[in-house]
Amino acid sequence: MNNAAIAAQAFRDAGAARVAILDVDYHHGNGTQTIFYDRSDVFFLSLHGHPSQEYPYFLGYEDEIGEGEGEGYNQNYPLRWGTSWHTYQEALEDAIRRIQIYHPDVLVISLGVDTFENDPISKFQLTLEDYPKIGERIAKVKAPTLFVMEGGYAVDKIGINAVNVLLGFETT
């Protein structure tokens, strides 16, 4: 089951004309991308480990922009091992800007906190202090927002990082 895709479709079925999905999980949202790749009513954006270095290896490249009606409604931000806040922030800011231009009726966040520096499967270097900043950036979209929990494997920090994203979102 793809919870973010199910939620996006449920919002569409309930009358939302435009839905954006922002995937901030360490791995590319290849299932979500595939589901909406030829649609313009759901804009999918993903920040993730570069597919030349990380699973799924075959999807998540920069040139995958959608096709047919969906051309231009898919945006990937593949990031290299060692990505820290500075580089991550640049990609996130661009994604937020694109979402604002799309002007969705609702925003779905695939929230993975496996981007944490001590996560055993991640090669990113985000720190505890970076997660509230992610929430602050997401809040700038100023759209009704649903957070769907995805990955995170640094068990003692998953809750802290997830709550910090929500706190950053809430205080903005």
Side-chain angles (χ1 to χ4, degrees), residues 31-141:
T32 310
Q33 174 176 299
T34 301
I35 291 167
F36 298 110
Y37 203 64
D38 61 355
R39 293 173 54 176
S40 62
D41 58 339
V42 178
F43 186 13
F44 175 69
L45 306 93
S46 179
L47 284 71
H48 52 270
H50 201 288
S52 68
Q53 297 175 311
E54 288 295 344
Y55 176 87
Y57 304 112
F58 58 90
L59 283 177
Y61 290 90
E62 300 94 334
D63 62 351
E64 298 164 16
I65 60 167
E67 64 185 15
E69 217 179 280
E71 187 172 335
Y73 295 93
N74 193 84
Q75 182 67 47
N76 287 311
Y77 298 88
L79 303 169
R80 299 285 179 181
W81 286 349
T83 291
S84 63
W85 176 248
H86 176 73
T87 303
Y88 191 89
Q89 174 188 347
E90 289 175 358
L92 182 61
E93 293 283 353
D94 189 69
I96 297 299
R97 181 186 60 78
R98 289 173 184 257
I99 292 168
Q100 289 171 320
I101 291 168
Y102 180 69
H103 197 68
D105 296 313
V106 66
L107 174 61
V108 176
I109 305 296
S110 290
L111 178 60
V113 294
D114 49 358
T115 52
F116 181 55
E117 64 184 340
N118 294 326
D119 195 286
I121 67 157
S122 173
K123 302 279 195 253
F124 284 2
Q125 298 298 311
L126 298 188
T127 66
L128 290 171
E129 294 77 24
D130 296 330
Y131 290 93
K133 295 182 243 180
I134 292 171
E136 290 169 8
R137 292 343 185 255
I138 292 168
K140 288 181 180 180
V141 174

Side-chain angles (χ1 to χ4, degrees), residues 3-23:
N3 292 322
I6 291 168
Q9 187 60 54
F11 285 124
R12 288 282 300 122
D13 294 345
R18 298 160 73 91
V19 177
I21 302 173
L22 175 61
D23 187 330

